[in-house]
């Protein structure tokens, strides 16, 4: 199609130039005297006409290229109507505190995989207890949140059902080490339930975690040891909780992953010699210090979680061998301490079947039933998940506040948005999970490395500018899931909640800015499917079946929900 468009553009340009030349040749001359002056005048005319002609041709070409890109993206979206959701996401908690019952926590799996194949927990602020609480609500029962999962007969309480689901936990993915993002992870360390022996749901393409032998006792560990993935600095901060004072010494480290910059963690201590090739996430070469040193022996193999630093390379890499997911991570700024800028992360989480390395054992289970599918899932779809992040945006009159940190935030965020713009233009970006902790009344010096609606919209305008400088609604159809809203503990003069104020402000900004984005409030108990698709409204009858949220009684059937495999509430 691009060749056809180019040929049309060339033809149009040639025709335009030819018409202009004919017009120039046939134009009569009023005065033939004073030849030098007339020649200069004609030359000037020709230059001006040439500039106009070039400008017209360039304008036509840019317009046709813009229309071509729009048509291509529209075609991609139309084709995706027949696709299934790329991911399924259960929201265990979406708040930013101070309520410990609603902190950041999301269970993620590829749609083509079963929950039994392995679960990715994005953030660990809310976890097992939050899921048990969600399942105890009739509106968000296990049959509603996990409609395809069959529970063992003796798992007949919300806690036991939540425990059964967490037995499929493959790994955590952490954006930063603040307690509202890791609190539940720490509490669950050492208590992660063992995986059920018999599988009850058919998988498709993923595998269960490998069993590893203890080299000292030649026995398999009698407890699960989920991997915890994050940047090295995040995991070093998290590991401080496992020094025996705040929490028992339950963590171990894997050796440096291939591609990591080893210069960042050189240490004078003697490092353990790792024998064998070892694989990413391999548990046979564990060490219990972030720099690769050995501090003790037996406790390495009795650990209850494994710190696995992410690669610093700017390429998608497989996350965990049991999941069809690859990851690309970027550092972002989240305020500062008395010593330095506090680092958080933005992560592109991509559906990538090639990331799998083994056949799922559950596919060999005689008790499994086939999973029905109505379409296909496109490899390469991804969503962008931000940890806590600050913006370079400053309101009028606050431009002078912390200019150095604003400059740093701008540079870091633009790097993420450049990657996001490429993903969006290629039709891969499903949606964005982005924090908005405070409303617009919050002053800059009290933001503490977070976003408010004006700052959030400023960031999206940056993305829109990278996508296109001229198109109207350059982010048309992009769904932005608003997370990490901090609940207010005092009543607002308007009587509205913080969530209501923030969502209203965001919608007002979009009404004026017309980027084409759609803001979706993310709530505890939501079941979200992700796919690049224009949202459709559902009838009130379909609403009961598709909208699984603890707040369903509050919306009175007025909410817009998303069905047919789109990136919205299912």
């Amino acid at each position: 199609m691009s060749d056809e468009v180019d040929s049309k553009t060339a033809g149009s340009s040639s025709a335009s130039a030819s018409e202009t030349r004919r017009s120039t040749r046939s134009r009569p001359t009023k005065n033939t005297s004073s030849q030098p002056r007339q020649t200069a005048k004609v030359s000037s005319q020709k230059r001006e006409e040439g500039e106009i002609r070039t400008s017209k041709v360039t304008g036509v070409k840019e317009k046709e290229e813009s229309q071509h890109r729009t048509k291509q993206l529209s075609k991609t979206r139309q084709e995706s109507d027949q696709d299934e959701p790329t991911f399924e996401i259960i929201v265990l908690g979406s708040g930013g505190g101070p309520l410990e019952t609603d902190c950041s926590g999301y269970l993620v799996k590829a749609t083509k995989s079963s929950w039994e194949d392995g679960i990715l927990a994005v953030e660990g602020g809310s976890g097992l207890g939050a899921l048990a609480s969600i399942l105890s609500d009739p509106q968000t029962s296990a049959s509603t949140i996990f409609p395809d999962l069959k529970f063992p007969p003796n798992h007949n309480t919300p806690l036991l059902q939540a425990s059964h689901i967490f037995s499929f936990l493959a790994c955590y993915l952490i954006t930063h080490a603040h307690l509202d993002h890791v609190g539940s992870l720490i509490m669950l360390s050492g208590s992660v339930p063992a995986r059920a022996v018999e599988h009850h749901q058919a998988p498709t393409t993923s595998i269960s975690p490998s069993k590893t032998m203890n080299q000292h006792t030649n026995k398999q560990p009698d407890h699960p040891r989920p991997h915890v993935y994050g940047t090295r600095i995040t995991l070093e901060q998290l590991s401080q909780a496992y020094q025996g004072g705040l929490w028992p010494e339950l963590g171990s480290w894997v050796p440096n992953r291939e591609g990591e910059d080893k210069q960042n963690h050189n240490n004078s201590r003697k490092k353990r010699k790792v024998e064998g090739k070892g694989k990413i996430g391999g548990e046979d070469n564990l060490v219990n210090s972030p720099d690769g040193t050995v501090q003790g022996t037996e406790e390495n193999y009795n650990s209850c979680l494994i710190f696995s630093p992410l690669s610093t390379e700017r390429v998608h890499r497989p996350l965990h061998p049991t999941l069809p997911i690859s990851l690309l991570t970027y550092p972002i700024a989240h305020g500062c301490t008395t010593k330095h800028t506090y680092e958080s992360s933005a992560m592109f989480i991509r559906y990538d079947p090639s990331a799998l390395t083994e056949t799922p054992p559950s596919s060999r289970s005689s008790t499994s039933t086939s999973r029905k599918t109505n379409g296909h899932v496109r490899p390469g779809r991804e969503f962008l998940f931000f940890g806590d992040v600050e913006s370079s945006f400053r309101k009028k009159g606050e431009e002078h506040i912390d200019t150095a940190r604003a400059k740093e935030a701008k540079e870091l965020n633009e790097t993420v948005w450049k990657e996001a713009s490429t993903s969006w233009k290629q039709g891969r970006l499903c949606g964005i999970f982005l924090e908005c902790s405070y409303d617009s009344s919050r002053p800059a010096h009290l933001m503490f490395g977070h976003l408010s609606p004006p700052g959030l919209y400023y960031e999206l305008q940056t993305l829109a500018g990278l996508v296109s400088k001229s198109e109207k609604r350059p982010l048309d159809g992009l769904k932005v899931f608003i997370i990490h809203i901090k609940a207010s503990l005092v009543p607002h003069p308007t009587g509205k909640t913080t969530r209501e104020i923030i969502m209203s402000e965001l919608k007002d900004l979009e009404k004026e800015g017309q980027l084409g984005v759609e803001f979706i409030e993310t709530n505890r108990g939501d079941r979200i499917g992700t796919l690049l698709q224009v949202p459709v409204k559902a009838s009130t009858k379909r609403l009961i079946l598709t909208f699984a949220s603890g707040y369903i009684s509050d919306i009175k059937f007025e909410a817009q929900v998303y069905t047919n495999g789109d990136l919205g509430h299912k």
Side-chain angles (χ1 to χ4, degrees):
M1 181 178 289
S2 60
D3 293 338
E4 183 180 350
V5 172
D6 290 341
S7 65
K8 290 181 179 179
T9 304
S12 175
S13 302
S14 176
S16 177
S18 177
E19 290 173 4
T20 306
R21 284 194 298 270
R22 287 198 298 270
S23 175
T24 303
R25 286 196 299 268
S26 62
R27 186 177 290 112
T29 305
K30 292 183 178 180
N31 186 6
T32 57
S33 62
S34 186
Q35 187 64 30
R37 182 181 300 176
Q38 184 65 28
T39 301
K41 184 176 180 181
V42 171
S43 299
S44 176
Q45 257 186 350
K46 287 184 177 180
R47 282 197 303 270
E48 291 176 1
E49 288 169 358
E51 290 172 0
I52 293 172
R53 183 166 63 250
T54 302
S55 176
K56 286 182 177 179
V57 171
T58 303
V60 169
K61 187 173 182 179
E62 288 180 352
K63 183 177 180 181
E64 289 183 352
E65 288 177 349
S66 175
Q67 290 174 345
H68 175 62
R69 287 195 302 269
T70 302
K71 287 179 180 179
Q72 287 293 94
L73 186 56
S74 177
K75 181 180 178 182
T76 301
R77 291 173 180 171
Q78 289 173 2
E79 291 174 350
S80 71
D81 287 345
Q82 302 301 319
D83 292 348
E84 287 195 338
T86 307
F87 294 96
E88 289 184 39
I89 302 174
I90 306 300
V91 182
L92 302 181
S94 65
L99 303 179
E100 70 276 9
T101 55
D102 188 17
C103 295
S104 299
Y106 306 82
L107 299 183
V108 180
K109 78 172 185 70
T111 302
K112 283 292 187 180
S113 301
S114 72
W115 292 106
E116 291 179 341
D117 286 337
I119 298 174
L120 166 64
V122 178
E123 309 287 40
S126 289
L128 181 65
L131 181 57
S133 177
I134 290 169
L135 298 182
S136 65
D137 187 336
Q139 300 280 7
T140 55
S141 63
S143 60
T144 304
I145 300 292
F146 301 96
D148 299 322
L149 183 60
K150 296 180 180 179
F151 293 87
N154 57 350
H155 285 60
N156 52 10
T157 68
L159 178 57
L160 291 175
Q161 291 172 339
S163 176
H164 181 66
I165 292 164
F166 263 79
S167 71
F168 307 131
L169 178 65
C171 60
Y172 286 94
L173 181 61
I174 305 300
T175 62
H176 63 292
H178 281 166
L179 279 177
D180 57 324
H181 295 255
V182 300
S184 173
L185 182 161
I186 296 172
M187 290 286 290
L188 193 60
S189 301
S191 301
V192 176
R195 177 179 288 264
V197 176
E198 183 180 17
H199 293 278
H200 296 270
Q201 182 193 3
T204 52
T205 55
S206 58
I207 65 174
S208 60
S210 59
K211 296 180 179 179
T212 306
M213 302 295 288
N214 183 323
Q215 294 181 357
H216 292 273
T217 62
N218 202 32
K219 296 179 181 179
Q220 293 177 352
D222 57 359
H223 53 267
R225 296 191 290 181
H227 288 252
V228 181
Y229 293 98
T231 62
R232 177 164 289 275
I233 189 170
T234 292
L235 296 185
E236 288 176 351
Q237 291 165 347
L238 176 59
S239 68
Q240 295 174 15
Y242 295 91
Q243 301 300 312
L246 182 62
W247 205 250
E249 299 170 280
L250 300 177
S252 291
W253 289 77
V254 296
N256 297 333
R257 301 180 75 181
E258 182 183 355
E260 275 203 298
D261 183 3
K262 298 181 182 180
Q263 294 180 356
N264 292 334
H265 12 86
N266 284 336
N267 192 283
S268 58
R269 297 177 180 177
K270 182 179 180 181
K271 296 189 176 183
R272 177 184 182 184
K273 181 180 179 181
V274 178
E275 298 181 357
K277 295 181 179 179
K279 57 184 178 181
I280 293 177
E283 299 174 13
D284 52 342
N285 294 322
L286 294 179
V287 294
N288 61 351
S289 176
D291 60 9
T293 58
V294 180
Q295 300 171 349
T297 54
E298 188 68 21
E299 64 268 29
N300 293 332
Y301 304 96
N302 289 331
S303 62
C304 296
L305 77 166
I306 302 168
F307 299 121
S308 301
L310 295 170
S311 170
T312 57
E313 291 181 317
R314 291 293 177 259
V315 293
H316 275 81
R317 299 193 63 181
L319 178 61
H320 188 276
T322 73
L323 301 175
I325 291 174
S326 61
L327 187 76
L328 175 59
T329 304
Y330 287 90
I332 52 179
H334 172 34
C336 62
T337 67
T338 56
K339 299 177 181 178
H340 49 67
T341 298
Y342 189 86
E343 181 180 295
S344 182
S345 308
M347 300 171 169
F348 290 86
I349 301 174
R350 177 180 293 182
Y351 172 59
D352 183 2
S354 67
L356 293 165
T357 58
E358 299 177 26
T359 302
S362 53
S363 65
R364 302 190 293 268
S365 173
S366 60
T367 61
S368 295
T369 57
S370 299
R371 177 180 175 84
K372 295 181 180 180
T373 58
N374 298 320
H376 67 285
V377 177
R378 295 172 180 269
R381 300 287 194 201
E382 62 187 1
F383 64 93
L384 171 57
F385 190 96
F386 275 87
D388 296 357
V389 56
E390 69 176 295
S391 172
S392 61
F393 173 82
R394 299 290 186 269
K395 290 187 290 187
K396 188 176 181 179
E398 296 184 336
E399 297 89 348
H400 63 286
I401 296 178
D402 208 352
T403 55
R405 187 143 290 106
K407 181 180 178 181
E408 182 180 21
K410 182 179 179 66
E411 293 174 352
L412 291 171
N413 293 350
E414 281 189 353
T415 303
V416 179
W417 293 131
K418 287 178 182 177
E419 176 67 26
S421 68
T422 301
S423 181
W424 174 251
K425 287 187 285 189
Q426 293 177 351
R428 291 187 283 104
L429 185 62
C430 299
I432 301 175
F433 287 74
L434 189 55
E435 70 119 307
C436 192
S437 297
Y438 303 109
D439 65 42
S440 60
S441 65
R442 190 85 172 184
H445 70 284
L446 295 178
M447 289 302 296
F448 305 123
H450 290 291
L451 296 180
S452 64
L456 184 149
Y457 205 77
Y458 170 83
E459 295 298 328
L460 292 177
Q461 287 175 318
T462 302
L463 170 60
L466 293 169
V467 170
S468 174
K469 299 290 186 182
S470 58
E471 291 181 28
K472 294 182 179 180
R473 300 174 63 85
L475 304 179
D476 192 30
L478 177 62
K479 298 176 179 67
V480 180
F481 290 82
I482 304 304
I483 59 176
H484 208 271
I485 295 176
K486 291 182 176 290
S488 176
L489 302 183
V490 295
H492 193 271
T494 63
K496 295 181 179 180
T497 66
T498 305
R499 285 178 174 270
E500 291 172 334
I501 294 170
I502 287 176
M503 295 307 298
S504 176
E505 290 178 347
L506 288 171
K507 289 175 182 177
D508 287 344
L509 286 166
E510 171 57 19
K511 186 176 180 180
E512 180 181 352
Q514 292 294 303
L515 297 180
V517 299
E518 181 173 6
F519 294 114
I520 300 172
E521 180 183 352
T522 307
N523 290 301
R524 177 175 178 263
D526 286 351
R527 178 172 174 247
I528 301 173
T530 62
L531 187 69
L532 179 66
Q533 189 176 36
V534 177
V536 295
K537 289 189 176 182
S539 66
T540 55
K541 290 183 179 179
R542 185 73 182 276
L543 180 61
I544 294 293
L545 299 175
T546 59
F547 195 101
S549 170
Y551 298 89
I552 193 168
S553 60
D554 298 332
I555 59 177
K556 298 179 182 179
F557 304 106
E558 295 176 355
Q560 177 170 319
V561 299
Y562 310 95
T563 59
N564 193 28
D566 58 17
L567 181 69
H569 301 283
K570 294 185 65 183

